[in-house]
């Protein structure tokens, strides 16, 4: 008997180098028991979005993102990287979806087929301070329309998910829910 694990029919597969293949799953909850390997956080406050990059880098401004510490939960990861990269103190944090990532045979850290997640989160900041000097990052604040355009261009594979996350933030901020 051969066990068959179908690849996701009709779903765009995203490849991260030769080491991972992934699919995006929209939703508020992460699968239980699956480790968080990396995360993306849209840091927003007062109708502005924050982009970041390494100090001295002339490359594009990106969303807040980074690897998780071993055993770190998604919300803790979002709060930590938001603080490190933008100086944001998180208020509300919520997941808008995640990449379900499967390791390939070229992955040096995980066995082929091992599953991890890369959550997409929104961090609604309650306070923005200076970026910690030791973080090695710099930030830029943009109006939501520019923020959305920049991130959707930079992360073209996730443009609809970024737009949905920003829309959810706008609704929350206008209704007083976040």
């Amino acid at each position: 008997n051969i066990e068959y694990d179908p690849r996701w029919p009709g779903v765009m597969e995203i490849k991260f180098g030769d080491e991972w293949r992934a699919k995006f799953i929209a939703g508020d909850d992460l699968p239980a028991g699956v480790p968080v390997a990396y995360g993306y956080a849209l840091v927003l406050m007062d109708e502005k979005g924050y982009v970041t990059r390494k100090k001295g880098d002339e490359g594009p401004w990106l969303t807040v993102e980074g690897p998780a510490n071993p055993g770190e939960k998604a919300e803790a990861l979002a709060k930590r990287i938001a603080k490190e990269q933008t100086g944001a103190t998180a208020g509300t944090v919520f997941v808008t979806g995640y990449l379900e990532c499967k390791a390939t045979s070229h992955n040096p850290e995980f066995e082929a087929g091992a599953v991890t997640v890369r959550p997409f989160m929104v961090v609604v900041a309650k306070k923005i301070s200076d970026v910690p000097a030791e973080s090695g990052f710099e930030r830029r604040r943009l109006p939501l329309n520019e923020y959305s355009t920049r991130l959707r261009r930079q992360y073209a594979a996730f443009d609809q998910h970024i737009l949905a996350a920003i829309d959810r933030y706008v609704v929350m901020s206008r209704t007083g829910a976040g």
Side-chain angles (χ1 to χ4, degrees), residues 11-67:
V11 174
M12 182 173 71
E13 184 175 279
I14 300 161
K15 292 180 74 175
F16 295 101
D18 289 333
E19 299 174 355
W20 297 101
R21 66 181 207 272
K23 68 176 178 174
F24 189 89
I25 299 172
D28 298 341
D29 298 316
L30 299 176
V34 179
V36 174
Y38 196 90
Y40 304 89
L42 280 65
V43 178
L44 305 162
M45 183 176 156
D46 296 333
E47 305 294 318
K48 305 278 194 247
Y50 292 82
V51 289
T52 186
R53 67 181 178 194
K54 296 264 186 184
K55 279 185 184 172
D57 188 352
E58 295 298 320
W61 292 91
L62 304 170
T63 191
V64 173
E65 62 181 83

Side-chain angles (χ1 to χ4, degrees), residues 76-161:
L77 168 63
K79 289 179 178 181
R80 178 178 58 80
I81 62 178
K83 185 73 167 174
E84 288 172 359
Q85 296 181 25
T86 67
T89 300
T92 305
V93 176
F94 58 90
V95 173
T96 62
Y98 61 92
L99 288 166
E100 179 185 83
C101 302
K102 290 185 181 181
T104 70
S105 59
H106 299 288
N107 193 311
E109 296 179 42
F110 291 87
E111 181 179 324
V115 177
T116 64
V117 294
R118 291 180 176 216
F120 276 71
M121 299 162 283
V122 171
V123 173
V124 181
K126 60 182 177 182
K127 179 182 171 189
I128 300 285
S129 302
D130 291 339
V131 177
E134 67 277 2
S135 80
F137 285 88
E138 56 188 355
R139 70 160 189 250
R140 188 166 181 199
R141 182 180 70 183
L142 301 170
L144 278 183
N145 62 335
E146 289 180 40
Y147 179 76
S148 173
T149 300
R150 183 176 300 254
L151 291 186
R152 290 174 61 216
R153 188 178 325 121
Q154 197 61 38
Y155 299 90
F158 313 120
D159 68 336
Q160 66 186 356
H161 309 298

